[in-house]
Amino acid sequence: MTDRPIAVMWFRNDLRLSDNPALIAAAKWARENNGTVLPVFILDPVISDQLGGATKWWLEKSLSALNKDIAKLGDSKSDHALRLFKGNAKTILERIADENPVQAVFWNRLYDKPSTERDTDIKSILQDRGLTCESHKANLLFEPWDVKTGSGTDFKVYSPFWRACQKLPPPREPHAVPDSVSLFKGEVYGQTNITDFDLAPKPVDWAGGLDDRFTPGEQGAKDQLFDFIDDRLTDYAEMRDRPDHRVTSELSPHLRFGEISPYQIWHAANHYADANPGKGKTASKFISELGWREFTHHILYHATDLRTVPLQGQFKHFPWSEDAKSLRAWQKGHTGFPIVDAGMRELWHTGYMHNRVRMIVGSILVKHLLIHWRDGLAWFDDTLVDACPANNPFSWQWIGGCGADATPYFRIFNPVLQGEKFDPKGDYVRQWVPELRDMPEQYIHKPWEASPLILKAAGVTLGKTYPEPLIGLKEGRERALHAYQDMKQAAG
Ligand code: FAD
């Protein structure tokens, strides 16, 4: 036990050292008070309830990377520079404060209800005990309560929301990593290790495809950002809808865990635009996607429960179908619609799916198959490495036609036309659905229209080597439109 006062730095979805305002504040507090910093991560039910298989895999790697980075920063040889705890965050923080000379606690803010309720409660308890307790803005460019309509309410539509954001003071410059941090070196009762978190894939290691594609951790995030800015941002505006070209940033899982901040990304994209005259359009298209992330968090913060309650009340009356067989076929990428199956298999294999394809697979599920958007959300929550408490439910409500600024339910994506437009040569389908590799371009997105001779030449037997479509496109579309009418009648 030491007598030097301790500042606890409570890491949550901000697993980085650079541009981390709470860490900077904790380090400053420790310097000014001749104290030390105790970095902690607590796997509490609020966090574990939000994890699926793929995000668990990511979190384990990210925590290990952060632990090493903290050890380097604090000049520590310990394997446990980041102290891990499992259980109720309030109980654990109180116990740490009971047993050690803790005088201050710092964290960066989160915006989902379980987190905000937990944090408010913890802040008031710690402050009642006389501790300094500070929360910081780090994970959003604009606080949800700072962006208001002319009449002072929150926004429901993206474009005016983003226009209002742009009228606010621009996002501050990112902060550097603190020069050094004096770490608390003593034992802390109740501390555990990463294996006790039970995050690794089980019973077999199914994560090889995720490992090949991503490098969790702050360094992986920075490499990803700079590769994107150097090589791909130039084509982003034009090509971002093309899954057959890898053009987008793939920063979403890094943002999900806060391994990089939106400030770092926002400024990197703006510097690129300043340095490359004529490239302002592509940079601002990319930045506007960060704007969507801001918007989904704005909606999450103000909504009752984005995961379960449709924002448009009439959708409580939608006649969803209980169709476990079709749901399973969709999950496994066996729907018989090539672009859908390619996306679902990419997801299963890598933990990621291109945005355009997410929209197509989502539309097939909730419209042609009439399966509840919550089933799609649950599958994405389990399989996406970027599964995010704001973006995922928001996007599923958007696809389901029941969310904020949503695509109207009666606008139904045709997976053949979408495939022909955004994967014109079928390269994406060929990559993920190898049984269709030899189909000619003309039929790659609609093998059921090919003649028996063409199918035979491509080695495809529908219903055997590749499934027949789960439903006719026209039939599915009409059924969806009827269901929509039924809902409107039921809702009065
Ligand atoms: P880029 O195009 O490079 O965009 C940069 C960043 O902007 C992204 O990393 C992301 O943080 C943000 N962004 C981009 N598009 C969107 C969008 N439509 N909505 C909100 N933010 C966006 N995104 C998630 O991060 N987590 C999810 O769980 C998630 N679930 C989705 C579910 C469905 C059904 C759909 C249609 C979309 C979902 N998205 C989700 C949004 C989007 O598909 C991903 O953010 C994007 O594909 C990530 O790839 P990227 O990083 O290369 O994006």
Side-chain angles (χ1 to χ4, degrees):
M1 173 112 165
T2 170
D3 287 338
R4 285 175 76 191
I6 293 174
V8 171
M9 166 61 207
W10 181 18
F11 284 96
R12 297 102 62 84
N13 283 353
D14 50 350
L15 305 180
R16 63 177 182 270
L17 300 187
S18 56
D19 199 32
N20 190 324
L23 176 64
I24 290 169
K28 181 166 178 273
W29 187 95
R31 241 186 349 266
E32 290 172 355
N33 292 279
N34 186 29
T36 58
V37 174
L38 175 66
V40 306
F41 180 89
I42 304 169
L43 188 67
D44 75 343
V46 173
I47 291 186
S48 53
D49 284 356
Q50 291 176 353
L51 294 174
T55 37
K56 279 185 186 163
W57 171 85
W58 191 287
L59 178 63
E60 179 172 52
K61 306 236 166 219
S62 191
L63 289 173
S64 302
L66 180 65
N67 178 52
K68 286 193 190 123
D69 293 343
I70 293 175
K72 245 187 261 162
L73 177 71
D75 202 16
S76 161
K77 303 247 174 321
S78 165
D79 287 342
H80 303 290
L82 174 65
R83 313 302 182 101
L84 304 180
F85 300 86
K86 194 172 173 184
N88 180 292
K90 180 170 73 173
T91 314
I92 288 169
L93 287 169
E94 282 203 278
R95 199 178 59 212
I96 295 174
D98 282 340
E99 294 169 1
N100 302 278
V102 172
Q103 290 189 10
V105 182
F106 299 86
W107 67 74
N108 293 310
R109 283 196 270 283
L110 296 170
Y111 301 92
D112 59 287
K113 218 157 238 126
S115 299
T116 53
E117 284 173 2
R118 175 196 61 191
D119 294 353
T120 308
D121 188 26
I122 290 178
K123 197 179 230 179
S124 91
I125 285 169
L126 295 179
Q127 284 176 337
D128 285 350
R129 295 173 64 129
L131 269 64
T132 297
C133 200
E134 280 181 17
S135 62
H136 290 259
K137 173 183 169 195
N139 297 330
L140 287 181
L141 300 170
F142 304 99
E143 297 285 28
W145 49 88
D146 285 342
V147 195
K148 293 196 196 98
T149 63
S151 50
T153 57
D154 48 302
F155 281 93
K156 303 279 188 285
V157 180
Y158 167 76
S159 298
F161 166 82
W162 192 229
R163 275 198 301 276
C165 290
Q166 284 158 325
K167 287 189 190 134
L168 292 171
R172 56 161 177 78
E173 286 283 341
H175 303 295
V177 180
D179 287 340
S180 70
V181 172
S182 173
L183 290 182
F184 175 69
K185 301 264 165 62
E187 283 296 310
V188 181
Y189 176 76
Q191 185 183 328
T192 184
N193 55 48
I194 192 90
T195 44
D196 187 40
F197 278 6
D198 203 15
L199 299 170
K202 272 203 309 208
V204 287
D205 184 358
W206 43 257
L210 282 65
D211 230 350
D212 289 345
R213 184 132 176 189
F214 292 105
T215 308
E218 185 169 2
Q219 190 54 50
K222 283 186 174 154
D223 292 345
Q224 185 86 334
L225 173 64
F226 293 120
D227 285 353
F228 170 69
I229 299 273
D230 289 347
D231 301 334
R232 312 201 293 280
L233 179 51
T234 180
D235 295 323
Y236 183 84
E238 209 183 320
M239 300 295 283
R240 60 179 288 275
D241 272 324
R242 295 282 297 270
D244 56 342
H245 285 65
R246 213 159 154 183
V247 169
T248 66
S249 71
E250 295 184 15
L251 280 165
S252 49
H254 298 289
L255 272 164
R256 156 69 176 82
F257 286 99
E259 297 168 352
I260 195 157
S261 81
Y263 296 85
Q264 293 167 304
I265 302 174
W266 194 91
H267 281 279
N270 275 295
H271 289 158
Y272 167 88
D274 293 345
N276 295 277
K279 287 291 173 186
K281 191 170 152 237
T282 196
S284 78
K285 181 69 199 153
F286 174 65
I287 291 168
S288 75
E289 296 305 320
L290 283 182
W292 274 101
R293 177 178 178 274
E294 298 286 319
F295 183 54
T296 68
H297 283 80
H298 180 86
I299 297 287
L300 175 76
Y301 179 76
H302 291 290
T304 330
D305 180 1
L306 201 54
R307 292 186 53 75
T308 56
V309 183
L311 291 172
Q312 296 179 32
Q314 58 176 349
F315 274 83
K316 285 184 194 140
H317 304 278
F318 196 89
W320 300 110
S321 142
E322 297 275 334
D323 181 354
K325 208 165 147 219
S326 296
L327 176 61
R328 196 76 194 135
W330 177 82
Q331 291 169 335
K332 291 287 172 197
H334 291 137
T335 65
F337 300 110
I339 189 94
V340 174
D341 294 340
M344 297 309 292
R345 295 187 203 182
E346 180 189 22
L347 173 62
W348 182 249
H349 194 71
T350 68
Y352 179 84
M353 192 196 297
H354 185 277
N355 179 58
R356 170 60 49 177
V357 189
R358 293 185 201 204
M359 294 195 274
I360 302 169
V361 305
S363 175
I364 274 286
L365 188 78
V366 299
K367 295 180 181 174
H368 284 93
L369 298 176
L370 290 183
I371 293 176
H372 205 299
W373 56 269
R374 285 203 301 255
D375 290 324
L377 168 64
W379 185 251
F380 271 30
D381 264 344
D382 196 29
T383 53
L384 273 175
V385 283
D386 63 22
C388 157
N391 280 2
N392 206 23
F394 174 93
S395 303
W396 276 101
Q397 290 221 21
W398 185 88
I399 286 286
C402 58
D405 204 1
T407 166
Y409 186 87
F410 55 80
R411 284 229 183 98
I412 298 176
F413 278 40
N414 178 318
V416 175
L417 300 181
Q418 291 282 316
E420 287 172 348
K421 185 163 178 199
F422 298 111
D423 179 30
K425 291 187 185 312
D427 292 342
Y428 178 72
V429 165
R430 278 179 237 283
Q431 181 184 359
W432 294 108
V433 189
E435 61 268 37
L436 295 179
R437 197 184 299 129
D438 296 326
M439 281 300 286
E441 215 169 285
Q442 190 187 351
Y443 296 108
I444 185 83
H445 291 293
K446 45 183 178 195
W448 59 88
E449 285 191 10
S451 68
L453 218 60
I454 289 173
L455 287 170
K456 191 159 180 241
V460 176
T461 311
L462 288 180
K464 241 176 156 188
T465 62
Y466 184 70
E468 305 263 11
L470 281 177
I471 188 164
L473 286 176
K474 191 159 171 267
E475 179 197 342
R477 184 185 149 76
E478 278 165 10
R479 195 175 65 165
L481 291 174
H482 277 131
Y484 180 64
Q485 289 309 328
D486 290 349
M487 171 198 80
K488 290 220 299 197
Q489 267 173 15

